Amino acid sequence: MTLLDPKLPQAGLAGSFINGAWHRPADGRTLTIENPSRRAPICEVGRGTATEIDLAVQAARAALPAWRAMAASERGKLLSELGRRLEENAEEVARVLAAESGNAVKTQSRGEAMGAAGVLNYYGGVAVEQKGETLPLGPGILSYSTREPHGVVGSIIPWNSPLQLGAVKISMALATGNCLILKPAEDAPLAILKLVELAEGLFPPGVFNVVTGLGEEAGAALANHPGIDKVSFTGSSEVGKLIAHSAADRIAKVTLELGGKSPTIVFPDAIAEGRLETTAQQVANAMRFARQGQSCTAGSRLFVHKDIWDELMPKVVEKSASLNVGDALDPDVDMGAVVNAERYGEIREFVAEAEALGATFLLGETPAEDPEGFTPNPTILSGVDNTWRIAREEVFGPVMVAIPFETEAEVVEMANDTHYGLAAFLFTHDVSRITRLTRAIDAGWIQVNQGGGQIPGMSYGGTKQSGMGCEYSIEGALEAYTYRKSVTINIESHP
C-alpha cells in the first residue's frame, strides 16, 4: 500500500506568526520535525527564541486595547469562522497531525481535527456569556461587576493532542478578550501551523501569535516574560512546577493541566446481565490504547474485583489485542507510534523494570530495543504491586497494570495512593456505590461506565499535582482567563 504524504504548511520554515505576518527566526536556526512511525524527517521549522517571543509580546500588548474593547459576540464570530475553516480542511490537517504526532489518522487524528473545530465553534457560540452581576445596596447606589481579561496570555501545549489543546488555548484566551502567544510542542508544531494558515487575515494583527521552538528556549522565555499576564500550560508535572515558580515571582496568573495516573475500577455487577463485552471495551477505551497511551487521562491502573478477574481480564486483553498497530497514515491502522526515541526508550525502561520485578505479561512484551518505527504494542501487566514505579508514575505509553481487589475501602485507598488526581473511571451499576465512590476518589473528572474523552462545555481539570484551573467550558474560561471587576456608583446628587 502506498501512503500519500500530507500537504505540509507552506510557512513552516518561518515557524513564527507574529503581528499578522510570518516571521523567520532572527538567527536563522531551524528544528527538524520527524515522522515517528517511519523514523524519517518530515521538514524543518523555525527555531524561535527569546527574540521572537519578545516581538510577539510587543505585538500582543499593542493589539490588546482594541481587542478587549471589541464586543464579545464579534470575537465569537471570528472563532466560529476559524472553526468552519478547520472543518472544511479537517482531512488535510488530520494527515499532517498523524505524520508528526504518530496518532493514527483512522482512530485519532481525524477525530481530533473535527474535535478542535468543535471547540472553536463552542467558544464562538458562548463568548457572549461573559455576564456580570448587580448588587442591591439600596437607594442611590448602583453596584455591579464585570469580567475583564487578564491581558496577554502565553500558552504552551504538548505533542500528544496538539491540535485539540491548541484550539482550547486559542478559544479560551481570545473569547474572553485576551491576546495570545502560543508555543507549540517542538516535536509536533505542524498541525498548529496549518491552523495558523487557516486563520491568516481573520484576527487583527497581534491578537493571535505563534512561536515555534524548544521548550528551554522559546517556552522558558514565554513563561518568564514580564509582559505575559497569564501562563496556560499543558504538559508534565515537572515542567508545570517550573512554570508555577516562574510566574509566582511576578504574581502572574497560571493554569496548569498536568499529568495523571488514573485508576479504572471494575465491580462485579459491571459485567452482569450481558454487560461483559461492553464493559471490557470501555475499559480498553479508558486506557487510550488507540492514542498509544499518550494521554494524561489514560486509565493505566486497572483495579478488578477478584470475583470477576478470570472472566473480565481475558476480554480486556482480547479487545486491546485487536488493535492494528502500524504507520499512523495507513487508513487501516488503529494505533500508531509514540512521538520520539526518548519517549519510546522511557516506556521500554518502565516495562523492563516491571518484568525484572516479577510482573507477568497478559498482553505484549518489553518493546524492542531498535524498532523500525516507534510503535510499541499494547501491553497489560499483572502481578504488579501498587507501590511499584510503573503503578505510580506516568508511563505515557500503551502500558496498563492490572491489580485485583476485594473491598471498596481497599480499592479507594489504592486509587488515591498517588500524587496525581486528574481522572478516574468507575464501572458499577449500584447507584449507592457510585455516589460513595465518586465522592471518595480524588480526581477532577470521573467517568462512570464509560471511557470517553473530554467534551466542550464540560469543565475539566485536576487536583493534587495534576494541576490547577479548569478548561473546556465557558465557566473555566471565565475563572481562569478573566478577573472580576466590581463597580460601585453613588448616583444621588450632592451639593
Side-chain angles (χ1 to χ4, degrees):
M1 178 181 293
T2 300
L3 304 180
L4 297 177
D5 288 321
K7 184 179 178 182
L8 301 176
Q10 297 301 301
L13 192 59
S16 296
F17 185 76
I18 299 171
N19 205 27
W22 292 98
H23 181 94
R24 290 177 180 267
D27 59 12
R29 291 190 297 172
T30 61
L31 291 173
T32 299
I33 308 303
E34 295 187 345
N35 182 322
S37 292
R38 304 175 184 179
R39 296 185 63 176
I42 301 174
C43 66
E44 293 185 338
V45 301
R47 179 175 166 179
T49 63
T51 299
E52 285 67 46
I53 292 294
D54 189 59
L55 289 173
V57 172
Q58 291 179 43
R61 299 219 70 87
L64 180 61
W67 181 248
R68 72 184 298 172
M70 182 184 290
S73 59
E74 294 303 311
R75 296 195 297 264
K77 288 178 183 177
L78 298 179
L79 287 171
S80 294
E81 172 59 18
L82 182 55
R84 184 192 67 79
R85 295 180 185 183
L86 179 54
E87 284 181 356
E88 289 183 348
N89 295 274
E91 186 65 21
E92 181 181 313
V93 176
R95 292 185 66 77
V96 172
L97 180 60
E100 65 175 345
S101 70
N103 292 330
V105 69
K106 173 187 174 182
T107 59
Q108 294 298 313
S109 292
R110 188 175 289 131
E112 182 173 338
M114 291 304 296
V119 167
L120 290 161
N121 288 326
Y122 166 76
Y123 279 103
V126 301
V128 295
E129 296 300 316
Q130 300 172 52
K131 299 174 181 177
E133 302 164 342
T134 59
L135 182 64
L137 294 181
I141 301 293
L142 172 63
S143 186
Y144 63 92
S145 66
T146 63
R147 286 285 185 175
E148 301 291 340
H150 287 305
V152 176
V153 174
S155 291
I156 303 172
I157 58 174
W159 38 260
N160 61 316
S161 186
L163 191 62
Q164 183 89 358
L165 292 169
V168 170
K169 307 295 188 186
I170 293 165
S171 298
M172 294 180 75
L174 300 192
T176 49
N178 300 277
C179 291
L180 177 67
I181 297 99
L182 178 67
K183 210 292 282 184
E186 58 206 56
D187 290 296
L190 300 180
I192 291 295
L193 296 182
K194 292 289 286 186
L195 184 63
V196 175
E197 288 184 345
L198 296 176
E200 281 191 78
L202 185 58
F203 301 104
V207 168
F208 174 38
N209 309 274
V210 172
V211 177
T212 58
L214 298 176
E216 59 267 30
E217 295 175 351
L222 182 60
N224 294 326
H225 200 289
I228 294 294
D229 301 296
K230 174 185 172 60
V231 181
S232 177
F233 172 77
T234 299
S236 70
S237 296
E238 291 73 20
V239 177
K241 292 174 184 177
L242 296 175
I243 288 174
H245 278 290
S246 172
D249 289 338
R250 63 181 192 278
I251 319 298
K253 306 299 183 289
V254 177
T255 298
L256 301 172
E257 199 266 275
L258 307 176
K261 193 67 179 176
S262 303
T264 299
I265 304 171
V266 189
F267 285 89
D269 66 301
I271 68 169
E273 300 177 6
R275 302 188 185 107
L276 175 60
E277 293 285 342
T278 300
T279 296
Q281 185 62 64
Q282 290 295 332
V283 167
N285 292 349
M287 177 53 224
R288 310 286 193 256
F289 275 130
R291 191 178 284 277
Q292 304 82 254
Q294 294 181 135
S295 171
C296 47
T297 63
S300 56
R301 291 186 298 151
L302 174 59
F303 298 104
V304 177
H305 195 280
K306 67 178 184 62
D307 290 348
I308 58 169
W309 178 276
D310 291 339
E311 193 172 0
L312 177 65
M313 287 311 302
K315 284 294 181 181
V316 173
V317 169
E318 175 188 319
K319 303 295 183 185
S320 304
S322 69
L323 294 172
N324 183 18
V325 181
D327 192 320
L329 284 166
D330 189 323
D332 296 323
V333 160
D334 302 303
M335 174 181 153
V338 297
V339 73
N340 57 32
E342 180 182 7
R343 181 94 304 275
Y344 182 92
E346 289 178 355
I347 294 167
R348 187 175 185 279
E349 288 178 8
F350 268 107
V351 177
E353 178 185 291
E355 183 181 16
L357 289 172
T360 300
F361 287 96
L362 300 181
L363 177 65
E365 60 188 2
T366 298
E369 189 170 358
D370 187 24
E372 293 183 5
F374 299 126
T375 51
N377 289 312
T379 300
I380 301 176
L381 296 169
S382 67
V384 174
D385 191 278
N386 197 48
T387 62
W388 291 7
R389 190 170 75 98
I390 200 168
R392 301 188 66 80
E393 296 183 17
E394 192 172 36
V395 177
F396 225 65
V399 181
M400 173 191 282
V401 296
I403 300 172
F405 74 93
E406 295 188 30
T407 67
E408 276 190 23
E410 176 192 13
V411 76
V412 168
E413 182 179 358
M414 288 194 293
N416 289 341
D417 186 18
T418 171
H419 56 266
Y420 293 115
L422 189 58
F425 305 88
L426 175 62
F427 290 86
T428 179
H429 293 271
D430 184 326
V431 176
S432 296
R433 178 181 288 137
I434 292 170
T435 303
R436 289 193 302 273
L437 267 65
T438 52
R439 288 181 61 88
I441 295 170
D442 299 331
W445 177 33
I446 301 177
Q447 295 189 65
V448 180
N449 298 323
Q450 67 172 29
Q454 298 93 318
I455 300 171
M458 176 197 82
S459 290
Y460 164 72
T463 185
K464 297 182 178 178
Q465 292 187 29
S466 286
M468 58 179 71
C470 287
E471 297 185 332
Y472 276 88
S473 68
I474 185 60
E475 293 83 8
L478 294 177
E479 291 171 5
Y481 287 78
T482 70
Y483 67 92
R484 184 189 298 270
K485 178 183 285 183
S486 295
V487 180
T488 304
I489 305 172
N490 186 336
I491 59 177
E492 291 289 333
S493 299
H494 293 280

